[in-house]
Amino acid sequence: MLLLSAWKLKFTPLALVLSLTVSGVSTLLFPIAINQSKAAETTQAVTGVKLSSSKRFALVVGIDDYPEDPLRLPVSDAKLVKRELESVGFEVTLVINPTIGNLTEARDAFVRKIDSSGDNVTALFFFAGHAVQFDGHNYLIPAKSKLLSASGKAAFIDLAMDAQLGILNYLSESKASQVIFVLDACRNNPFNPGHRGSGGAGLAKMNVNPGGPDTFILFAASPGQVAFDGDPGASNSPFSEAFAKAISQPGSSLPTVYEQVNEQVRKITDGRQRPYQEGVLFNFKFREALAAPVVASGQARLLETGFEKRQYDIVNDGYKLLRQTLAKKSINDIQKAAEGGDAEAQYLLGIAYNAGEGVAADPERTAYWLRRAATRGFSRAQFAYGQRLYWGWGETEPNKKEGFDWWLVAAENGNASAMLNIGETYLYGREGVAGQDLAQAEKYFNQALSVGALEAETSLGRLYTEKAKKAQKAGDTKTFAQASEKRLAYFQKAAQKGSSDAMYWLALMYRYGDYVKLDLPKAIEWYKKSISAGDSNAAVNLAQLYADESATGLGKPQPEEAAKYFRIALNLGSKTAGVELADLIRNGKVQVTPKTSKEAIQLYEQAVVNGSLRAAAHLSDLYLKGQLAAKDLKKAEQYGLKALELEKTTKPDSEDAWPMYVQIAYTNLLKLYKEEKLQPAKPQLVKAIEDRVGLLNVNLKRFTIPITCGTIKSPFQVYVWDWKLDKPPTTAQFDWIEKARGCEVPKDVVEAFEKLYKIARENNVSFQELTVYALGNTNNKK
């Protein structure tokens, strides 16, 4: 099905809806039944809902009379749509089982009615029946068609109705101001494969007349999918049922109708049928709302969600464009242009509501204006709206499928940021695609490169990092070397063009000797270049290098330099640098003074406000020990319980999810209750805390295990102690290594700790002591 809607405040609507179901063949001709109604005269009182005063005409066609391949529901679908259109003020002409001649007559009469009705006409055409593509044209198959046995293009021209030339073009050339054109059709050719012509399977794209009325086109299914006729017991097809329901709702604008239809069809068909749109969404409501919508007063902004910088570059660009525009025009000028249908103004107004620039920050209005600009074909808005849906910006629940679809639309319109995001989704097999697909990822990255995207070569470098990783795991040294050489070349090219991300990747390669020779001075050089280009991650990593006391560091830590770069990272917007700097002060790595103590406490407190479990656990520790601040048992408990609360909402792939952070909180709480004799604020939690901690004042044992991160093999330390949970404490640590760091723990290592834990529990001995004994024997044997 194909549905189009444009956002212009030009009220001369013409709605055309085509509902085609192509799942079989059609032959012969059947009689026609035409029924006209004057619904506009009687529908004002329906449910007390206000209707628009514009003239509304609809031509609804349903054909199920195909002797060799009959359909059950098109006539039922057409009648359902007719009823609902009448309820929202349309004057409907219903045509049942027409021959080609009857359909032509109905079309001509419909156009004459439009042309004789003056201004403010919305025309809607709906077709339910078989359709097929031949040589790039979509043909609506009339009743009793003999096309199954026909051959050659001439048969289709003579015996079927060309949807573009015979319907849509007629409406585009009429005096209608707005056209809605909907096809509920299987996009696979059900006829003789020889009839597919050069167009192949699926219906062909339909074109909107640039100088004609605003037109919205909606296919019921995406290319290569089937538009289902309905389950055996169903009264209507999934699409027709969803469409009829959506247009009858108060406040049913074209965008909301499309969104509701899209959602319901996917739900009914378990995702097997996904509506697809072309054209423009215009400002038209089937039925006005009962009252003005309630606008939420949330304060969330797109730039405060903590996503990687590349995920909202488009919004940064929009904000710059907004500021430039506001230097010349007022926000009222932008609003007026947006309401008049200017897509760029609508985009800027969405950014203004997002940033609170000239208007009060409002997530709902942000979404509303981004969506309007997106439906008018503005690719930046399409990408930004896709971001909002995919990542759940503001108060929006994430909708991965819808967000990914909007990226696809933006990419088709040449938006490089969308191409990069689509490629990244395929690269990592994120939700929205079936799984990891490196070929598809490379395709979209190369598309972005072809339009000059700065980060395209960086993305290709990450793609070949993934290929090198797979080759290394498979023991394919030749492919590993080839992939590594390519990723190095891509990162170098992107770095030369100013990509801070590519500079950061080069720093990592030299930092760990990943394919290139380990070279810490060169790594520091690339880190600093990346920082100069604005990369906060590079500043955090350089600070960590200066603070590193292990053999992989600089030999001698430089904590003052580490503190310097953590502060730089903070200024660049890092979400983790504050806690890292506070940890540096807390651990005495920099000089502890009243000033730095106060700084650390403030950094921790701000991080807790932002949802940091790690900061809450460390504040609990500070107040329990009286470190950097006076000892305060109530505050120690408060922050310990806060850490336990944040454990429920902390994302498993975040730094804060490292299990040892929340373990600090559990241990501190048990110390408060057992040693400090503090009365628990939540006594119901004490048993769970005891099970989690085990014995107090028993030092944790630390073991070094091998892990593989990408193409880098490195040591990692995990902790072992005795607790009363079903799985060993190492399991959560291994899970975090994989989810947060993207690294792999050898399977035999994981299984070894699991077996030891099982033996310890079955024999009622200490897991910690058994692990020390077992690994000690292993080392002795080696």
Side-chain angles (χ1 to χ4, degrees):
M1 211 178 244
L2 183 111
L3 177 61
L4 289 176
S5 164
W7 274 104
K8 280 189 181 177
L9 295 178
K10 183 177 67 172
F11 270 84
T12 1
L14 162 66
L16 167 74
V17 181
L18 277 164
S19 173
L20 295 82
T21 304
V22 183
S23 55
V25 288
S26 55
T27 57
L28 305 179
L29 302 172
F30 262 35
I32 181 172
I34 298 181
N35 177 24
Q36 298 188 6
S37 63
K38 300 287 185 180
E41 299 173 1
T42 60
T43 53
Q44 290 294 336
V46 176
T47 68
V49 178
K50 180 182 176 182
L51 299 172
S52 170
S53 61
S54 62
K55 302 181 188 72
R56 302 175 171 207
F57 301 135
L59 175 60
V60 177
V61 180
I63 304 176
D64 60 9
D65 201 345
Y66 300 104
E68 293 187 6
D69 189 14
L71 296 172
R72 283 193 315 112
L73 300 177
V75 170
S76 176
D77 293 339
K79 290 179 179 179
L80 171 67
V81 170
K82 170 185 176 290
R83 287 196 304 271
E84 296 304 330
L85 287 174
E86 288 176 345
S87 76
V88 294
F90 277 87
E91 182 176 332
V92 182
T93 299
L94 177 64
V95 183
I96 301 298
N97 289 323
T99 64
I100 184 64
N102 297 144
L103 184 55
T104 301
E105 291 172 5
R107 175 205 64 195
D108 292 344
F110 187 56
V111 171
R112 285 195 299 271
K113 178 180 289 188
I114 294 167
D115 290 343
S116 63
S117 298
D119 296 331
N120 289 350
V121 175
T122 298
L124 186 151
F125 180 87
F126 182 95
F127 178 93
H130 276 314
V132 66
Q133 179 211 150
F134 193 101
D135 281 350
H137 288 259
N138 298 323
Y139 293 94
L140 313 183
I141 310 302
K144 293 187 176 181
S145 170
K146 297 181 180 180
L147 286 173
L148 179 61
S149 57
S151 62
K153 185 175 181 179
F156 286 89
I157 295 174
D158 293 339
L159 301 176
M161 177 66 76
D162 188 318
Q164 177 79 53
L165 300 179
I167 301 290
L168 185 56
N169 284 5
Y170 275 73
L171 295 173
S172 297
E173 294 166 6
S174 73
K175 293 182 179 180
S177 298
Q178 296 171 332
V179 174
I180 305 171
F181 194 87
V182 183
L183 299 178
D184 185 1
C186 165
R187 296 178 63 85
N188 286 326
N189 189 333
F191 293 88
N192 187 326
H195 290 168
R196 293 181 179 177
S198 60
L203 296 182
K205 181 178 180 180
M206 298 183 70
N207 301 312
V208 176
N209 183 354
D214 289 338
T215 305
F216 179 87
I217 305 174
L218 175 70
F219 283 95
S222 297
Q225 289 186 328
V226 172
F228 296 100
D229 190 37
D231 293 331
S235 300
N236 298 99
S237 74
F239 180 89
S240 292
E241 179 181 328
F243 181 75
K245 179 180 179 181
I247 65 176
S248 66
Q249 302 302 308
S252 51
S253 65
L254 282 176
T256 58
V257 166
Y258 170 62
E259 289 172 5
Q260 290 172 16
V261 169
N262 198 29
E263 180 179 358
Q264 184 173 336
V265 169
R266 291 188 185 198
K267 182 177 180 180
I268 292 174
T269 63
D270 293 325
R272 292 174 295 167
Q273 180 176 332
R274 302 171 66 178
Y276 169 79
Q277 72 159 20
E278 293 175 1
V280 161
L281 287 167
F282 50 84
N283 187 17
F284 173 78
K285 287 187 178 179
F286 288 90
R287 174 168 283 165
E288 298 289 342
L290 288 167
V294 178
V295 179
S297 58
Q299 298 299 311
R301 298 182 183 179
L302 306 188
L303 303 186
E304 295 176 354
T305 54
F307 297 123
E308 296 297 330
K309 184 176 179 182
R310 63 179 175 273
Q311 291 179 346
Y312 50 78
D313 275 348
I314 196 70
V315 178
N316 282 338
D317 293 343
Y319 186 66
K320 292 176 184 176
L321 181 59
L322 173 65
R323 296 300 296 271
Q324 292 169 4
T325 306
L326 287 175
K328 302 175 183 178
K329 298 182 179 181
S330 69
I331 193 69
N332 289 335
D333 292 332
I334 296 175
Q335 178 117 21
K336 184 176 180 181
E339 290 173 349
D342 185 285
E344 184 173 286
Q346 292 168 347
Y347 171 62
L348 291 176
L349 192 56
I351 299 301
Y353 276 112
N354 166 64
E357 186 73 23
V359 292
D362 189 327
E364 284 197 8
R365 301 306 292 171
T366 296
Y368 173 77
W369 286 110
L370 286 179
R371 184 174 63 245
R372 285 191 64 170
T375 54
R376 286 198 63 79
F378 194 58
S379 73
R380 282 190 178 189
Q382 290 166 344
F383 173 66
Y385 189 56
Q387 293 289 80
R388 181 182 184 277
L389 290 169
Y390 194 91
W391 299 110
W393 282 344
E395 298 176 352
T396 307
E397 284 295 318
N399 188 327
K400 304 293 187 182
K401 290 181 179 179
E402 288 291 320
F404 188 79
D405 283 350
W406 276 108
W407 288 344
L408 289 172
V409 172
E412 288 175 0
N413 287 325
N415 188 283
S417 296
M419 296 170 191
L420 292 175
N421 272 252
I422 295 167
E424 188 172 286
T425 305
Y426 279 115
L427 175 59
Y428 298 115
R430 292 175 178 162
E431 191 174 344
V433 297
Q436 186 182 59
D437 189 330
L438 299 186
Q440 281 288 83
E442 190 163 10
K443 167 189 167 182
Y444 279 100
F445 290 152
N446 278 318
Q447 283 184 10
L449 182 62
S450 70
V451 296
L454 172 64
E455 296 296 342
E457 284 166 317
T458 306
S459 297
L460 285 164
R462 289 190 284 113
L463 171 74
Y464 277 95
T465 298
E466 190 70 13
K467 288 186 175 184
K469 171 184 171 181
K470 289 180 177 294
Q472 185 183 59
K473 189 173 181 179
D476 186 345
T477 56
K478 181 179 179 181
T479 302
F480 170 77
Q482 291 172 341
S484 294
E485 190 64 33
K486 283 191 174 183
R487 67 185 169 114
L488 178 61
Y490 276 125
F491 287 145
Q492 288 171 334
K493 288 179 183 178
Q496 289 170 1
K497 294 178 181 178
S499 168
S500 63
D501 199 19
M503 297 171 190
Y504 173 66
W505 275 91
L506 287 171
L508 291 178
M509 292 182 75
Y510 285 109
R511 166 77 172 88
Y512 295 104
D514 182 11
Y515 184 65
V516 297
K517 183 179 179 181
L518 191 148
D519 190 331
L520 292 183
K522 188 167 283 191
I524 292 173
E525 177 185 346
W526 280 114
Y527 276 136
K528 289 182 177 179
K529 287 182 178 180
S530 182
I531 294 165
S532 297
D535 195 304
S536 63
N537 288 328
V540 170
N541 273 255
L542 181 55
Q544 290 171 339
L545 176 57
Y546 280 123
D548 193 350
E549 297 179 350
S550 71
T552 62
L554 294 170
K556 182 179 180 182
Q558 300 177 38
E560 294 301 333
E561 282 295 292
K564 168 187 169 182
Y565 280 100
F566 280 135
R567 291 189 176 97
I568 290 173
L570 268 174
N571 291 333
L572 290 174
S574 170
K575 302 296 182 182
T576 61
V579 177
E580 296 265 13
L581 177 56
D583 282 351
L584 201 67
I585 297 169
R586 165 177 169 264
N587 294 328
K589 302 303 180 182
V590 295
Q591 185 177 4
V592 177
T593 66
K595 182 179 178 181
T596 57
S597 296
K598 183 178 180 181
E599 179 185 18
I601 295 293
Q602 289 176 340
L603 288 169
Y604 279 140
E605 288 175 343
Q606 183 58 50
V608 172
V609 170
N610 293 333
S612 173
L613 181 157
R614 174 182 178 183
H618 287 171
L619 277 174
S620 172
D621 207 46
L622 292 180
Y623 283 116
L624 175 61
K625 296 175 180 177
Q627 182 185 2
L628 302 184
K631 186 171 182 175
D632 189 325
L633 301 186
K634 282 292 185 182
K635 282 190 174 181
E637 182 189 35
Q638 172 193 337
Y639 283 110
L641 291 173
K642 183 64 176 179
L644 268 59
E645 177 187 330
L646 290 170
E647 182 185 20
K648 301 172 185 176
T649 56
T650 297
K651 294 182 178 180
D653 59 352
S654 68
E655 288 294 316
D656 267 25
W658 171 235
M660 301 314 298
Y661 293 140
V662 76
Q663 192 64 26
I664 293 172
Y666 277 106
T667 302
N668 287 341
L669 288 169
L670 193 60
K671 286 181 177 179
L672 285 167
Y673 303 146
K674 297 299 183 183
E675 296 179 350
E676 300 289 347
K677 307 302 180 183
L678 182 71
Q679 283 298 112
K682 296 184 176 182
Q684 70 272 22
L685 296 180
V686 174
K687 177 63 168 60
I689 293 171
E690 290 175 337
D691 290 347
R692 180 73 174 253
V693 176
L695 297 174
L696 281 173
N697 300 317
V698 175
N699 292 329
L700 306 183
K701 296 297 182 182
R702 189 169 60 186
F703 296 90
T704 300
I705 63 168
I707 64 173
T708 302
C709 301
T711 60
I712 304 169
K713 293 184 181 294
S714 63
F716 192 89
Q717 293 178 330
V718 295
Y719 296 83
V720 169
W721 68 96
D722 290 302
W723 67 4
K724 297 180 181 180
L725 304 189
D726 292 335
K727 294 183 179 180
T730 50
T731 298
Q733 298 172 63
F734 295 153
D735 288 345
W736 180 87
I737 290 170
E738 293 182 0
K739 291 176 182 176
R741 293 292 173 84
C743 303
E744 295 182 9
V745 181
K747 186 177 180 181
D748 59 337
V749 172
V750 175
E751 291 176 348
F753 280 101
E754 289 175 346
K755 289 177 181 177
L756 288 171
Y757 190 68
K758 182 179 180 182
I759 293 170
R761 297 193 74 185
E762 288 175 348
N763 293 277
N764 198 26
V765 298
S766 165
F767 170 57
Q768 187 184 71
E769 292 178 2
L770 181 61
T771 304
V772 171
Y773 172 79
L775 294 183
N777 279 349
T778 300
N779 291 333
N780 288 337
K781 288 180 181 179
K782 286 184 178 180

